[in-house]
DNA sequence: AATGAATGAGTATTCATTCAT
DNA sequence: CATGAATGAATACTCATTCAT
């Protein structure tokens, strides 16, 4: 288990500022935005940025992880809700709505599997939370029993890409979502 | 109406070689692959490439259009098949299978709406073919009647992204596809 | 003495068209205008252009020579005029007026000395015509006797560059010209 | 009012090195010399050059301004000299001598009028210094009173181009200069 | 530890010139 | 002979990363 060396207070603050700036900048201008712009947005010199994230890729990775962490947290939150049958769909809907505008979130989820070893922890968190949510809904009988987490993730990734593609119109998005949701429900009889 | 001046035989051949190379290279290394690499792969000088496609963007556009054209052709082909109820699903499955490995195809479909005026023709072709396929299936009663082409496209885009994300495993892909297909079928009362 | 091989009628016509186009294009867009543009303006393929002028530089050279030829012709014309004292100044004024807008003419005159051996003929023509004009004016007493053709050319080059720099205003140009003319006149006493 | 942020010592040094190299290279090989060559001559990477001057044009502009600044300084110096009648001609002669070999200087003077707003300051300096020099000489009676700064500049531009064209021979240059000088003097009587 | 200047490989695009049609 | 397609060296500019201050 890797020791996370305790950063000095200001160093931690800088790291956070950079991460936030990176999210903002990359979301706005795509991942090919110059690193220097991120630094500027963070109010830091490039040097500082590179001290915290030795590579642009590392920075992107960190942003991804951050997203995953939030995803996991949110999933856990919904997993604790009383009505598991609806919680599942509610979570999905909320997620898709959000991811539709910030494709970075979808990227993060999509990357959940493929990532480097260090990311394993977060991935497990995500998958775990999702599995809980799924299983409970299946137990409650609102979701067909032959769906696994893997397909679920693929479906979520796909659905949010589709939603993203649909752009602004919420009604259209809703209709697409209904189709997928119907597909997820147990077939009658 | 713009006259497409008939290119000299060798010129046409080169244009085609470049287009093919572009598809290969961009599929393999992403759209940010150096233009020069495309030229090399096509066995021509950069100059030639730029004579045919005055801009990298123009080249990408052309690749996209090419894909759309094939898509439309295929859709038309299936629209002519006897059993419209199944043709729809068969076409979808085939498309997703293909797009799962060449994300460029999904990109093309996703771009079908957003494109520049010159692309309008192809887009109409695509949408038209798709609409035919869809309407016939709805008439045949195998697809729920409240789906429009727009959502359908979004769904296709999403599903192939999801399939792409799933990677190699055909069984998983099949299961995801089943869910979407079920969602598309008319709900039994 | 080099034999100028007699060109076929259409070849000569093409050469002339290219030369004219080159003058137009280079005047309008500067000498760095693409050769292809000249060809297009001439209604000829690049290949043809390069057959007549093996190098862009050769083409520029030819344009220059053409200008010199016209210059010489004009000078000769004025040298034949009755009133040599005024002819000199009249010619100068006319030349500067013209050269002020087409700096290519100044370039040509400026190049009169520096050029390659083949240009020698034209240069001699130019210098000869100018010398005649000058000498007659000096004999007529309207121009100081200590001026030589060389300085005269330098002065003309300079004056037209100055005029060019002055841009549109003819009054200003006139005043500048007056100064130079006064300088050229014999000092009283 | 824009604050000129004080550059770090080494940055300032590099900026200066680049400017010097640019002057040298552009003077030697013309303004179309590759930017990279300037960088090499300055002993810095291209990146550094472009950090200081975001565009080749910006670099050229800076070189021009530098020249203008020197011109203005020199003019001011001569404007302070005791004998204004001769100072004017002395300055002119010196300037032409110098500009004859470095046409970049003439370019700078020629550009004094045409330049972008930011250059306005320097231009005013130049024109102001020149006007002082001119007016004093006119007051001293050594220069005709109907000459304005505008024509003067045009004349200087022209004369130095002429001198440049004359090339090496100082005697010829002197004779050309005499003619212009005589033209500038008040006509006797 | 933070800063931002320096670096230079990398990239799209142009254009003189050659050569197959 | 004319044509215009093919060529590829050349060039301005960008950006991840390093390093002196």
């Amino acid at each position: 288990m890797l020791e996370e060396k305790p950063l000095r207070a200001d160093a931690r603050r800088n790291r956070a500022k950079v991460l936030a700036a990176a999210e903002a900048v990359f979301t706005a201008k795509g991942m090919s935005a110059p690193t220097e712009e991120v630094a500027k947005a963070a109010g830091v010199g490039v040097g500082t940025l590179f001290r915290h994230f030795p590579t642009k890729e590392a920075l992107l990775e960190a942003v991804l992880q951050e997203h995953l962490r939030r995803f996991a947290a949110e999933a856990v939150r919904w997993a604790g809700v009383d009505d598991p049958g609806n919680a599942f769909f509610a979570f999905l809907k909320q997620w898709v709505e959000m991811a539709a505008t910030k494709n970075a979130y979808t990227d993060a989820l999509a990357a959940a599997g493929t990532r480097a070893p260090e990311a394993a922890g977060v991935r497990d968190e995500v998958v775990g939370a999702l599995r809980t949510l799924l299983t409970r809904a299946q137990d409650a009988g609102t979701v067909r029993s032959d769906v696994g987490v893997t397909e679920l993730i693929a479906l979520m990734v796909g659905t949010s890409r589709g939603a993203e593609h649909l752009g602004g119109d919420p009604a259209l998005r809703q209709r697409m979502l209904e189709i997928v949701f119907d597909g997820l429900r147990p077939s009658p009889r």
Side-chain angles (χ1 to χ4, degrees), chain A residues 23 27 63-64 67 99 101-109 161:
Chain A
E23 153 138 26
T27 296
V63 172
L64 238 47
H67 288 162
T101 47
K102 294 221 186 197
N103 54 39
Y105 285 98
T106 315
D107 292 342
L109 180 56
R161 298 268 193 235

Side-chain angles (χ1 to χ4, degrees), chain A residues 166-189:
Chain A
L166 241 26
D169 191 334
L172 273 179
R173 217 153 53 218
Q174 180 59 30
R175 268 154 74 188
M176 188 190 69
L177 215 51
E178 276 312 329
I179 296 174
V180 176
F181 282 6
D182 280 357
L184 280 168
R185 282 188 243 275
S187 51
R189 177 175 20 282

